[in-house]
Amino acid sequence: MSARDYLDKDFYAVLGVNKTSTADDIKKAYRKLARQFHPDANAGDEKAEEKFKEISEAYDVLSNDDKRREYDEMRQYGGAFSGASGGGGYGPGGPNVNLGDLFGNADLGDMLGGMFGGAGAGGRPGGRRAAKGDDLAGRVTLSFRDAASGVTTSLALRSEAACTTCRGSGAKPGTSPHTCASCGGSGQTVRQQGGFGFAEPCRACHGRGQVVDDPCPACSGVGVSMQTRTVNVRVPAGVKNEATLRVPGKGAPGRHGGPAGDLLVTVHVTPHAVFGRKGDNLTVSAPITFTEAALGATIAVPTLDGELVKLKVPAGTPSGRTFRVKGRGLTTSRATGDLLVTVDVAVPQRVTGKAKDALQQYAEVTADDDPRRDLLAQAEKE
Ligand SMILES: [Zn+2]
Ligand SMILES: [Zn+2]
C-alpha cells in the first residue's frame, strides 16, 4: 500500500459510513463487514481476504479519533500539509504508520516530482497524475460602505510555493538533484510482510525519487518555501458579512502540470455606526419628538450615499414604527433595496422654562386621557 493510496482511498466508503457518522456507527459497520469477510469464514477466497484487509485498514484509522481527524484534514487540505511534518521517519509500516508523517513526506515527494517535471521521477506509470492545486483560504475586512458599493481589494497571501532560489529543485543553485539509487527514481520500495508486498516511500529519498547532495540554503533542500504574494479580489456590491468568495486559480500551484487551486476569501464587513442591513434593504433608526409623533411632521433622514431624503411621519405615529423609503437601500446585481426607517420617540432629559410650562398645561388639559385605563380594566377582569 503506497502513501498516495491513503490520499486516494475513501475509508468512509469502504465501511459504508460517512464523514458525520459517530464512532458507534463506524464500529457497528466495521463489525458487520468484518464478520462477513473474515478469512476464517472465507477460507481460500482471495477477494474476501483483500476486502477484509481493506476494512481493517479503514477501521484502524476511523476508529481512532486522532487518526480520523488527521485523515479528514489530509483529505480536505491535501498538499497544503506538505512538508509540515518535515523528514519524520516512517513508522513500523503497514496500516499503523503515522499518517501525518506519511502524508507529509509522500505529498511533498509528489510535489517535488512535479517540480522536477516528473521526468526523473517516472517509473510508475499513471502514478503521477496531474492534480489540481489545493484551495487556499483568505480573509478580508471591508467597511460597511465598501461592502455595499462593491470594491476591488488586495489580499496578501502567505502560502507554500516553489522556492525561488532553487526553482523548486531543492538543490543549491549551480548543482542539481540526481536520481535516487535505492529506488531508481520511483520513490517507492516494496517491503514484504505476512505474504503481502507493501509499497512504501523510499527511505533513502523520502519518496522523492531524487537525492539532493547540496541542499538549497534558502529552503534547506525542501524545494518549497513560504512566500507572500498579493491577490486582487473583486468584491461584488452588496456582499454579505462572512460571505465566501471563490477566486479561481489563485490557490496553491497545481502538481504535475495540473491547474492551480482556488482562493476562498471570507469577507468580514465591519458594522456601520448608523446603518444596518436586512437583505438588500438598509435600516436606520431616526429619533422624533413627541410632538412630531403626535402632530405629524416631515423629517430629514440620511442615506448611505450621503444624500438626505424627506420622510413624512403622519400624525399619531407610535414609537417604533418602520417606514419604507423606496430604492434607497443597497444596489446589487440582483435588485435595489429600500431604506427602512424606524422612528423612536425621544424623551427630553430635562424640561425647563416655557417648554415645561407648556407641557404642564398640556398635562392638565389631557388629565382625563388615562393611557392605562384599558390596562387596569383588563387586569381587573382576568
Ligand atoms: Zn530552495
Ligand atoms: Zn529513493
Side-chain angles (χ1 to χ4, degrees), residues 73-85:
E73 282 171 1
M74 289 304 160
R75 282 179 66 85
Q76 187 176 357
Y77 299 111
F81 275 72
S82 56
S85 55

Side-chain angles (χ1 to χ4, degrees), residues 251-275:
R255 294 188 292 273
H256 318 309
D262 300 337
L263 173 63
L264 302 173
V265 182
T266 303
V267 180
H268 178 73
V269 182
T270 46
H272 194 280
V274 167
F275 297 100

Side-chain angles (χ1 to χ4, degrees), residues 62-256:
L62 297 187
S63 61
N64 179 310
D65 284 351
D66 288 343
K67 283 189 191 175
R68 183 181 178 183
R69 195 174 50 243
E70 214 164 13
Y71 173 69
D72 286 346
E73 282 171 1
M74 289 304 160
R75 282 179 66 85
Q76 187 176 357
Y77 299 111
F81 275 72
S82 56
S85 55
Y90 298 101
N96 291 320
V97 298
N98 180 308
L99 282 179
D101 287 346
L102 196 50
F103 277 116
N105 289 318
D107 212 47
L108 180 60
D110 232 16
M111 198 165 167
L112 290 171
M115 288 166 183
F116 291 129
R124 196 158 63 94
R128 298 198 179 268
R129 295 182 301 273
K132 192 183 176 201
D134 297 300
D135 289 345
L136 297 177
R139 192 172 171 82
V140 292
T141 297
L142 296 182
S143 69
F144 189 88
R145 200 175 290 278
D146 282 347
S149 60
V151 69
T152 296
T153 183
S154 61
L155 173 64
L157 204 63
R158 221 171 141 63
S159 66
E160 279 185 338
C163 170
T164 47
T165 303
C166 62
R167 301 213 173 124
S169 77
K172 193 171 158 184
T175 71
S176 51
H178 61 81
T179 303
C180 172
S182 296
C183 61
S186 72
Q188 308 255 328
T189 51
V190 177
R191 185 172 50 82
Q192 297 294 329
Q193 190 189 45
F196 294 105
F198 287 93
E200 63 175 14
C202 170
R203 282 156 197 261
C205 62
H206 295 287
R208 294 169 205 180
Q210 300 273 323
V211 176
V212 169
D213 293 323
D214 297 308
C216 162
C219 63
S220 311
V222 177
V224 289
S225 61
M226 293 302 281
Q227 283 161 39
T228 304
R229 60 196 163 100
T230 304
V231 178
N232 286 331
V233 182
R234 170 91 200 113
V235 181
V239 67
K240 286 197 175 76
N241 188 27
E242 298 306 314
T244 299
L245 307 172
R246 183 177 285 269
V247 189
K250 296 294 182 187
R255 294 188 292 273
H256 318 309

